[in-house]
Amino acid sequence: MKFMDYFTEAEVTRIHEASLDILQNTGLSVRNEKAREIFKKAGCSVDETTQLVKIPAKLVEDCRQSYVPEYTFTAQDPKYDIVLPDNRPVVITGSSAPNIIDPKTGEDRRATSSDIANIANLINELDGFDVFSISTLAQDAPKGQISVSRFYPALKNCKKPVRSNTPTIKDLEDVLELGALIAGGKEAYKERPFINHHYCPVVSPLTMDVDSTDAVIYLTEKGLPVYGTIVPNAGMTSPMTMTGTLVLGNAEFLALSTLIQLIRPGAPMIYAVLSTVADLRTGNYAPGAVETGMLQMAHSQMARFYGVPSGGYIGLTNSQINDAQCGYETGINTTGALLAGSDMFNMGGLLGSLMAFDYSKAVIDNEIALMLKRMKRGMEFSEENLCLDLIHEVGPGGTYLDLKHTQKNMRKMAFYPKVATREMRKKWEASRSTAEERAFEQVNKIFENSVQKTFPAEIDEKIRNNFPGLVKGDMVW
Amino acid sequence: MKFMDYFTEAEVTRIHEASLDILQNTGLSVRNEKAREIFKKAGCSVDETTQLVKIPAKLVEDCRQSYVPEYTFTAQDPKYDIVLPDNRPVVITGSSAPNIIDPKTGEDRRATSSDIANIANLINELDGFDVFSISTLAQDAPKGQISVSRFYPALKNCKKPVRSNTPTIKDLEDVLELGALIAGGKEAYKERPFINHHYCPVVSPLTMDVDSTDAVIYLTEKGLPVYGTIVPNAGMTSPMTMTGTLVLGNAEFLALSTLIQLIRPGAPMIYAVLSTVADLRTGNYAPGAVETGMLQMAHSQMARFYGVPSGGYIGLTNSQINDAQCGYETGINTTGALLAGSDMFNMGGLLGSLMAFDYSKAVIDNEIALMLKRMKRGMEFSEENLCLDLIHEVGPGGTYLDLKHTQKNMRKMAFYPKVATREMRKKWEASRSTAEERAFEQVNKIFENSVQKTFPAEIDEKIRNNFPGLVKGDMVW
């Protein structure tokens, strides 16, 4: 597949040069002291009073030389390892919603660690998802265990790569300790670091924060996987033009990439974004807007220019329920991003502007993910697939229905949906089911067949000794 | 925008050559006698017993020389004229459903001429739609007036281009007579032929029928606008591979195009398709399948190779209601087609595999159409839009919210949806509205402000004299 482009080559070059201009002449406010030191040592102009860092274009260009084209999400079970861009489109759950739509009441409420255990189980079973980014927070986390209370149920119940973030270095160290305990030691963990870290160290416009930047520096120094997402919001934290928002976000990506490559040249990265346009009628955030999709598409073209895998939070919806809006907002923006070359889609399971996880939405998004994967697989051109002999044999007015060739190819060629109905109306009227209801049936079916997963008893004991009072981390359905 | 490609240049050439091979060696069953004569006169091998016509590759290539890159949909009101590909994406209603979801009962029933009048009014007011393809049949049509009972309410109530088909030449002549009466004479009508004709003269595999082919020949000879849609269905009427179905459909497009160009070199055409993959679990038709979108995308690449505008029935859904399925099926396939270069989208207003029109679906599709148009408008790259001075001025950590630049650009830059909600959950809970409900509110609002349209009294009298007993053609809401 050759991707669509919004920009000409000359425009891409101009956007790159304009980004260098921003970093060199406007500069970046870097609140993190270590980051300022790293930039200073590399020859940036650093004002310790204003914390303003100006990055020479040459330094950004030098650091570009060590960008690498791959990024790996490691799983506890190696069969689930995922490599960008080879395994594109890589589909990931949306993450860190405070709430969940309760599957019994249909009302939203604060999410807990057992919700995370449930969701982890579900994502483990849904073929469309490649990575589990921990969908919610855990309100029941004991004091001092905010992060392990999320990672423990996630890692216990999902053997695909698990991804999330931590608010502090203390929490990050706890989570890495948890990883080492599961792996059977620090060295074993480092060989297969199956916790995949993600932060938003750049706050638009042009500010690098303290804590997330700390985490990125910490992990990069240790050679552990981490990447950052760039999140400008046009009209609030970036200019109210598409290219203005793009160039600002692009400059921010380059600033973060320069920092990472200065720490460890060749450290894998993802050009990840959640650029949006504020709805200035109300000030509301608009992740479902078509402009969000377009910005993702345009950033992906820049990522191709830099030779770095791309993607981000795309396909999220503003809708509060599984209605037509939630369907087309997810469908339009993910399809756009796929065809523009995005490799990674943090798209699954969230309603209402990333505020709440919903089980049916996760299953609907799984089906959309499988459709995107079918679209990516493409037309499968070959002399055999042209079927010239077959077309000649069947001839004008013949039928292909009863051919062995048709039977042989039907499963290979077509994606057979489980959520979408293709029943004629008269038949459908017996149930009058909605996509949401059929999706929820799938959830129930998956949980009926789910057995509670455990870590080996010895390991689990070590974990529980290490984190006294830790949540159970088991499914409750 | 540079479009995405599924095929390499070499593959496109191979598909073209394979299509020539099919037409020259397998041939086409041409049931229409006039068409056989035209092909014979041009040097094709024609077997009058079997009706098999074999078209030499050289003839197809010769006829390709007179393909033209534009196609115009003419409207009664010239301000609504639409030109492909300049006005892409051209969005059209889905057509000829037998049923309508009754707006009062929510149940499906046979559609009537007053439904057509209502729908015509709605489409006239919805900015996302460019052409009104008459959405339903009219069950109340008097004997002998099946077609005028559809075109009269459509033309009376919608001043955008109106498009549909007719089952017989008699009906076609009636419809053209209606056009001439409205225009004030045959000559005036010919100058602005605001009835846009569409047929499916090729029945896959490789068969040209009697009646639709008659209509295409009739209109092409008269220099009136007409185009055909190619509809292979993988596993039933074409091979169960994507490229096999594509090459068959492509050969059928070339056969029809050769006929049209033989009749009138330079006659405008559209490379229009509704290639699908049969759901062989049930035999059901699957217009909402992702493969339908992919085939449209691939055909569009072939259309670009031939230098002809492209499009077709894309974005239609299998869903029976306005649920998430209906949203993502329409969203995914139209976005794919847009980015692959399709110019025309027969997408709007139908549920349940083209079986029923639904008012809310039409308004939802209007919103999707406006999103597609925003996506097509693109990133609007310019030095001014890069906003380098503004980014410098606002600086790190500043805000763009209170800038004049933001106010000035907010309406230009972002599409502000009417169907999609962006309310936070607490606020939304006051109504708990769905996209379907908000869409229907828009329908009601449009009809509240609608005044019954009429033709000038003198013209209307002539029409009614010419078609005694003709339906009233007025809105009933």
Side-chain angles (χ1 to χ4, degrees):
Chain A
M1 183 195 297
K2 208 166 101 198
F3 303 129
M4 68 77 60
D5 291 330
Y6 264 132
F7 299 118
T8 63
E9 275 181 43
E11 286 165 358
V12 167
T13 305
R14 178 67 188 121
I15 289 163
H16 172 60
E17 281 167 2
S19 306
L20 296 179
D21 181 334
I22 292 169
L23 296 180
Q24 177 160 304
N25 297 313
T26 303
L28 205 73
S29 169
V30 179
R31 304 215 170 120
N32 184 293
E33 199 186 328
K34 279 184 226 157
R36 284 201 304 278
E37 270 168 35
I38 294 166
F39 279 125
K40 193 171 184 178
K41 219 176 123 187
C44 299
S45 121
V46 176
D47 184 324
E48 280 297 333
T49 318
T50 61
Q51 304 183 336
L52 193 73
V53 173
K54 293 185 174 178
I55 312 176
K58 183 167 181 317
L59 179 63
V60 178
E61 291 290 11
D62 286 350
C63 287
R64 266 182 71 194
Q65 302 306 311
S66 57
Y67 290 5
V68 292
E70 281 196 354
Y71 189 96
T72 301
F73 286 101
T74 304
Q76 288 179 79
D77 183 341
K79 81 171 178 204
Y80 290 122
D81 281 4
I82 285 289
V83 180
L84 297 175
D86 293 6
N87 299 130
R88 80 182 297 272
V90 171
V91 177
I92 309 186
T93 41
S95 37
S96 303
N99 295 342
I100 185 167
I101 307 296
D102 188 282
K104 296 205 170 55
T105 67
E107 298 299 318
D108 71 329
R109 60 161 170 80
R110 293 286 167 192
T112 66
S113 60
S114 27
D115 292 322
I116 293 174
N118 291 350
I119 300 167
N121 255 288
L122 183 70
I123 300 306
N124 198 66
E125 300 309 310
L126 291 173
D127 283 351
F129 287 106
D130 301 298
V131 176
F132 176 42
S133 182
I134 306 177
S135 305
T136 68
L137 306 179
Q139 202 204 7
D140 58 334
K143 200 162 174 259
Q145 294 188 358
I146 288 182
S147 296
V148 283
S149 299
R150 300 176 65 217
F151 279 89
Y152 176 70
L155 291 161
K156 193 172 181 180
N157 291 283
C158 182
K159 302 308 165 187
K160 293 178 180 176
V162 168
R163 189 211 87 149
S164 197
N165 59 5
T166 52
T168 62
I169 292 287
K170 162 73 176 62
D171 272 34
L172 174 56
E173 285 177 335
D174 281 353
V175 165
L176 290 172
E177 177 69 25
L178 174 65
L181 287 167
I182 295 169
K186 278 192 170 32
E187 279 315 302
Y189 178 75
K190 212 180 160 181
E191 225 158 87
R192 294 191 53 74
F194 48 75
I195 298 175
N196 301 274
H197 302 276
H198 164 262
Y199 293 91
C200 299
V202 183
V203 181
S204 300
L206 297 167
T207 303
M208 224 173 245
D209 81 348
V210 178
D211 292 329
S212 293
T213 306
D214 244 7
V216 169
I217 294 171
Y218 180 98
L219 289 161
T220 305
E221 281 174 345
K222 288 200 167 6
L224 290 169
V226 62
Y227 72 94
T229 294
I230 305 296
V231 193
N233 189 9
M236 308 276 267
T237 63
S238 67
M240 191 43 115
T241 66
M242 297 296 274
T243 36
T245 292
L246 179 86
V247 76
L248 183 77
N250 193 62
E252 292 170 342
F253 163 76
L254 288 176
L256 178 61
S257 303
T258 301
L259 178 67
I260 289 172
Q261 297 303 316
L262 283 172
I263 299 168
R264 186 160 59 92
M269 307 186 301
I270 303 173
Y271 188 136
V273 291
L274 171 51
S275 300
T276 49
V277 176
D279 189 324
L280 290 188
R281 297 174 300 185
T282 56
N284 283 347
Y285 187 52
V290 68
E291 292 87 4
T292 305
M294 295 167 63
L295 282 161
Q296 177 74 246
M297 291 157 70
H299 279 297
S300 290
Q301 189 176 356
M302 294 311 298
R304 283 188 268 134
F305 173 73
Y306 296 123
V308 172
S310 68
Y313 290 80
I314 187 67
L316 296 161
T317 183
N318 280 81
S319 181
Q320 302 290 348
I321 37 167
N322 287 295
D323 63 352
Q325 176 188 347
C326 129
Y328 67 71
E329 286 188 341
T330 300
I332 289 172
N333 284 346
T334 53
T335 303
L338 178 77
L339 301 181
S342 300
D343 302 306
M344 179 185 74
F345 297 70
N346 289 87
M347 61 180 266
L350 301 191
L351 289 176
S353 298
L354 297 76
M355 289 302 284
F357 176 86
D358 179 73
Y359 286 99
S360 297
K361 174 68 171 149
V363 170
I364 288 170
D365 288 342
N366 178 66
E367 183 138 318
I368 292 174
L370 293 169
M371 291 170 80
L372 295 173
K373 287 173 185 206
R374 179 66 190 92
M375 191 178 271
K376 187 263 163 184
R377 185 149 63 88
M379 297 298 291
E380 298 169 308
F381 177 93
S382 70
E383 277 301 315
E384 195 190 340
N385 282 345
L386 275 177
C387 302
L388 286 190
D389 291 345
L390 197 71
I391 290 171
H392 190 74
E393 199 182 299
V394 171
T399 177
Y400 291 80
L401 186 54
D402 50 6
L403 300 183
K404 269 193 193 151
H405 180 272
T406 297
Q407 281 175 31
K408 206 187 81 184
N409 283 285
M410 75 173 257
R411 290 274 161 198
K412 269 199 290 185
M413 178 193 180
F415 164 65
Y416 288 100
K418 288 185 191 170
V419 169
T421 180
R422 290 173 178 168
E423 286 173 337
M424 294 305 287
R425 193 167 185 96
K426 289 293 161 236
K427 198 163 177 199
W428 169 82
E429 279 177 342
S431 70
R432 287 187 169 267
S433 69
T434 65
E436 184 179 52
E437 289 160 0
R438 293 187 299 273
F440 198 69
E441 277 170 28
Q442 240 187 90
V443 177
N444 272 320
K445 203 176 279 180
I446 287 172
F447 284 140
E448 269 168 34
N449 299 318
S450 275
V451 180
Q452 176 57 50
K453 297 185 187 71
T454 54
F455 292 117
E458 191 198 353
I459 286 176
D460 207 42
E461 209 190 314
K462 281 187 188 164
I463 294 172
R464 306 202 69 87
N465 285 340
N466 201 73
F467 301 105
L470 183 62
V471 296
K472 278 193 75 177
D474 290 342
M475 287 182 65
V476 178
W477 190 252
Chain B
M1 184 193 298
K2 210 167 100 196
F3 303 129
M4 68 78 61
D5 290 329
Y6 264 132
F7 300 118
T8 63
E9 274 182 43
E11 286 166 358
V12 167
T13 306
R14 178 67 188 119
I15 290 163
H16 171 60
E17 280 166 4
S19 306
L20 296 179
D21 180 334
I22 291 169
L23 295 180
Q24 177 161 305
N25 298 313
T26 303
L28 204 74
S29 168
V30 178
R31 304 217 171 118
N32 185 292
E33 199 185 329
K34 278 184 226 156
R36 285 201 303 279
E37 270 168 36
I38 294 165
F39 280 125
K40 193 170 185 178
K41 219 175 122 188
C44 298
S45 123
V46 175
D47 184 324
E48 281 296 334
T49 318
T50 61
Q51 304 183 335
L52 193 73
V53 174
K54 293 185 173 178
I55 312 176
K58 185 170 181 315
L59 179 63
V60 178
E61 291 289 12
D62 286 350
C63 287
R64 266 182 72 195
Q65 302 306 313
S66 56
Y67 290 7
V68 292
E70 281 196 354
Y71 190 95
T72 302
F73 285 101
T74 304
Q76 288 179 79
D77 183 340
K79 81 172 177 203
Y80 290 121
D81 282 3
I82 285 289
V83 180
L84 297 177
D86 294 6
N87 300 131
R88 80 182 297 273
V90 171
V91 177
I92 308 184
T93 41
S95 38
S96 303
N99 294 343
I100 185 167
I101 308 296
D102 187 284
K104 296 205 170 56
T105 67
E107 299 297 319
D108 71 327
R109 60 162 170 79
R110 293 285 167 192
T112 67
S113 59
S114 26
D115 293 322
I116 294 174
N118 291 350
I119 301 167
N121 254 288
L122 183 70
I123 300 306
N124 197 67
E125 300 309 311
L126 291 172
D127 282 351
F129 287 106
D130 302 297
V131 176
F132 176 41
S133 183
I134 305 176
S135 306
T136 68
L137 306 179
Q139 200 203 10
D140 58 333
K143 199 161 177 260
Q145 294 187 359
I146 288 182
S147 296
V148 283
S149 298
R150 300 176 66 217
F151 279 89
Y152 176 70
L155 291 161
K156 192 171 180 181
N157 292 282
C158 183
K159 303 309 165 188
K160 293 178 181 176
V162 169
R163 190 212 86 150
S164 197
N165 59 6
T166 51
T168 62
I169 291 287
K170 161 74 174 61
D171 272 33
L172 174 55
E173 285 177 334
D174 282 353
V175 166
L176 290 172
E177 176 70 25
L178 174 64
L181 287 167
I182 295 169
K186 278 190 170 37
E187 279 314 302
Y189 177 75
K190 212 180 161 180
E191 225 157 89
R192 294 192 52 75
F194 49 75
I195 299 175
N196 301 274
H197 302 275
H198 164 262
Y199 293 91
C200 298
V202 182
V203 181
S204 300
L206 296 168
T207 303
M208 224 173 246
D209 81 347
V210 178
D211 291 328
S212 292
T213 306
D214 244 7
V216 169
I217 294 172
Y218 180 98
L219 289 161
T220 306
E221 281 175 345
K222 289 199 166 6
L224 290 169
V226 63
Y227 72 94
T229 295
I230 306 295
V231 192
N233 189 9
M236 309 276 269
T237 63
S238 67
M240 191 43 112
T241 66
M242 297 296 273
T243 36
T245 292
L246 180 87
V247 76
L248 183 77
N250 193 64
E252 292 170 343
F253 163 75
L254 289 175
L256 178 60
S257 302
T258 301
L259 177 67
I260 289 173
Q261 297 301 318
L262 282 172
I263 298 168
R264 186 160 60 91
M269 308 187 300
I270 303 173
Y271 188 135
V273 292
L274 172 50
S275 299
T276 49
V277 176
D279 190 324
L280 290 187
R281 297 174 300 184
T282 56
N284 282 348
Y285 187 53
V290 67
E291 292 87 3
T292 304
M294 294 167 63
L295 283 161
Q296 177 74 247
M297 290 156 71
H299 280 296
S300 289
Q301 190 178 356
M302 294 309 299
R304 282 187 269 133
F305 173 74
Y306 295 123
V308 173
S310 67
Y313 290 81
I314 186 68
L316 297 161
T317 183
N318 279 82
S319 181
Q320 302 291 348
I321 37 168
N322 287 296
D323 63 355
Q325 176 187 348
C326 128
Y328 68 69
E329 286 188 340
T330 299
I332 290 172
N333 283 346
T334 53
T335 304
L338 179 77
L339 301 181
S342 299
D343 303 305
M344 180 185 74
F345 297 71
N346 290 87
M347 61 181 266
L350 301 191
L351 289 176
S353 298
L354 297 76
M355 288 302 284
F357 175 87
D358 179 73
Y359 286 98
S360 296
K361 174 68 170 149
V363 170
I364 288 170
D365 288 343
N366 178 66
E367 184 138 319
I368 292 174
L370 292 169
M371 290 171 80
L372 295 173
K373 287 173 185 204
R374 179 67 190 91
M375 191 178 270
K376 188 263 164 185
R377 186 149 63 87
M379 297 298 291
E380 298 169 311
F381 177 92
S382 70
E383 277 301 316
E384 195 190 342
N385 282 344
L386 275 178
C387 301
L388 285 191
D389 291 344
L390 197 70
I391 289 171
H392 191 74
E393 199 180 300
V394 171
T399 177
Y400 291 81
L401 185 54
D402 49 7
L403 301 182
K404 268 193 193 151
H405 180 271
T406 298
Q407 281 175 32
K408 205 186 83 185
N409 283 285
M410 74 173 259
R411 290 273 160 199
K412 268 200 289 186
M413 178 194 181
F415 165 64
Y416 288 100
K418 289 186 192 170
V419 168
T421 180
R422 290 173 177 169
E423 286 173 339
M424 295 305 287
R425 193 167 185 96
K426 290 294 160 231
K427 197 162 176 199
W428 169 82
E429 278 176 341
S431 69
R432 287 187 169 268
S433 69
T434 64
E436 183 179 52
E437 288 160 1
R438 293 188 298 273
F440 198 69
E441 276 170 29
Q442 241 188 90
V443 177
N444 272 320
K445 202 176 281 180
I446 287 171
F447 284 141
E448 269 168 34
N449 298 317
S450 275
V451 180
Q452 175 57 52
K453 297 184 186 70
T454 55
F455 292 117
E458 190 198 355
I459 285 176
D460 207 43
E461 207 191 316
K462 279 187 188 162
I463 294 171
R464 305 202 71 87
N465 285 340
N466 200 72
F467 301 105
L470 183 61
V471 296
K472 278 193 75 178
D474 290 343
M475 287 182 66
V476 177
W477 189 252

